[in-house]
Amino acid sequence: MSETTVQMSHGSGGQMMKRLIDEVFLDAFGAPELHAGNDAGVAELPATGRIALSTDTFVVTPQFFPGGDIGRLAVSGTVNDVATSGARVRYLSCGFVLEEGYPLADLKRICASMASTAQEAGVAIITGDTKVVGRGKADGIFINTAGVGEVPEGVTLSGSSCQPGDVILVSGTMGDHGIAILSTREGLSFTTDIASDAAPLNQLVAAVLEAAPHARCFRDPTRGGLASTLNEFAQASGVDIELDEAAVPVDAQVRAACDMLGYDPLQVANEGKMVAVVPADEASASLAAMRASRYGGQAAIVGSVVEARRAGSPCVRVRTAWGAERVLNMVVGEQLPRIC
């Protein structure tokens, strides 16, 4: 392309828009369904007759950060949301809102990142859309992704299925993404680089399901972190959750940053971690499956599900390293704006 930035005519529906689609999006993604040039990508329906569908919009700033960028985030986030249902994630769509003047080199870099992440996850981007808005009407680029997957027969996962005696696992360190975004945005310097954990986890979820066929639920602890996820489980299932704070893996640099900034790492966002609730007799096998996966090397058992102490008031309680107990609440208000 002769242009170096996004122009309003790239959203006109004419020749420049076609060139943008051909030379940026088709070049990066290249699925046969995209090359067909239709308004919808036609895909095979699952044999089970059940599909999982999720959509998300990504507006993070900055768009490039240690460990990833908005493109990797967009693909990983939607893949992970669909995977929490136990589905085999198959297809993605992507919609771009581009601001006039946005550098085409950055757009191509983001598309290459999306294509690489989709390939890693084993999914195809088969349809999309592009809109261009005037200068000052968007923060460079916004991306919407939707994903669809096949739900295997007999798999029914829900945050309302947790039962007393169940065990809670996390696939790795908490808070990496939120602190990576904050430190980049605010220009904070730490002794070592803190990188985002953005990654597709559908293969990790599949490995845990194979090891724990009676798994209750999965959730990726994004905005609100582990605290929000566990509170959602407790409220949906009408149970209490007991969390062992010392067992929760947190990178030393992330912990130091949280201490300095006054954040609880249990409330900070993640984009490449998974929480699983499984029956106690499947916990060891689940942990081994997580640790054998590419992104689960630091997986840990961090807590358990118990009967609610007060009927109608489920909560999450944390056993601290000092032997005390505190209630872990959801974040009140907006702790870290624009983290995804």
Side-chain angles (χ1 to χ4, degrees):
M1 297 181 67
S2 58
E3 303 85 10
T4 59
T5 64
V6 172
Q7 300 177 25
M8 289 299 295
S9 50
H10 282 128
S12 67
Q15 291 183 6
M16 287 187 67
M17 184 170 183
K18 184 178 188 308
R19 198 159 68 240
L20 180 73
I21 292 170
D22 290 346
E23 297 180 24
V24 177
F25 302 127
L26 290 183
D27 184 62
F29 306 141
E33 293 86 353
L34 279 175
H35 280 284
N38 298 316
D39 282 346
V42 177
E44 295 293 327
L45 286 174
T48 63
R50 292 194 302 155
I51 63 170
L53 176 68
S54 183
T55 186
D56 205 346
T57 303
F58 297 84
V59 298
V60 66
T61 181
Q63 287 130 21
F64 301 94
F65 43 82
D69 53 52
I70 190 172
R72 181 168 178 80
L73 198 60
V75 172
S76 296
T78 295
V79 165
N80 294 345
D81 284 347
V82 177
T84 61
S85 69
R88 303 183 186 102
V89 192
R90 297 284 300 277
Y91 306 108
L92 294 180
S93 71
C94 58
F96 295 86
V97 177
L98 305 173
E99 184 179 356
E100 181 185 14
Y102 191 73
L104 282 171
D106 286 352
L107 178 58
K108 290 179 179 180
R109 179 180 168 189
I110 288 167
C111 288
S113 179
M114 293 177 71
S116 174
T117 308
Q119 182 178 32
E120 178 187 344
V123 304
I125 298 172
I126 66 168
T127 190
D129 182 55
T130 307
K131 294 293 185 294
V132 178
V133 298
R135 293 177 186 269
K137 301 299 184 181
D139 194 4
I141 180 172
F142 300 151
I143 302 175
N144 172 272
T145 46
V148 63
E150 309 171 40
V151 182
E153 191 170 357
V155 173
T156 303
L157 303 172
S158 172
S160 62
S161 298
C162 303
Q163 301 177 21
D166 288 346
V167 171
I168 300 160
L169 303 91
V170 298
S171 64
T173 53
M174 295 287 103
D176 297 0
H177 177 73
I179 297 302
I181 294 295
L182 178 68
S183 61
T184 304
R185 181 186 299 145
E186 303 300 332
L188 303 178
S189 297
F190 300 105
T191 304
T192 59
D193 290 334
I194 297 174
S196 170
D197 56 357
L201 301 176
N202 51 323
Q203 293 161 9
L204 182 147
V205 171
V208 174
L209 274 176
E210 185 174 352
H214 301 100
R216 312 298 189 199
C217 55
F218 294 87
R219 191 72 54 87
D220 54 332
T222 53
R223 286 170 293 183
L226 184 61
S228 288
T229 293
L230 295 184
N231 273 281
E232 288 167 0
F233 288 165
Q235 292 169 14
S237 296
V239 296
D240 283 1
I241 289 177
E242 293 183 347
L243 187 68
D244 181 358
E245 190 169 35
V248 179
V250 180
D251 178 86
Q253 282 294 119
V254 171
R255 188 180 297 281
C258 287
D259 289 344
M260 179 180 74
L261 298 168
Y263 294 145
D264 184 341
L266 302 180
Q267 294 180 327
V268 177
N270 312 271
E271 289 290 349
K273 299 299 188 313
M274 192 63 65
V275 181
V277 181
V278 303
D281 60 357
E282 295 179 350
S284 294
S286 299
L287 181 62
M290 276 191 177
R291 289 181 173 173
S293 297
R294 178 176 179 180
Y295 296 110
Q298 294 177 286
I301 292 174
V302 297
S304 59
V305 179
V306 298
E307 295 278 359
R309 288 183 184 176
R310 297 172 56 193
S313 299
C315 74
V316 179
R317 298 189 299 273
V318 178
R319 297 190 302 275
T320 71
W322 309 104
E325 185 177 277
R326 66 183 176 96
V327 174
L328 180 64
N329 292 315
M330 288 184 171
V331 173
V332 177
E334 188 67 65
Q335 184 186 55
L336 294 172
R338 301 280 298 272
I339 53 85
C340 65

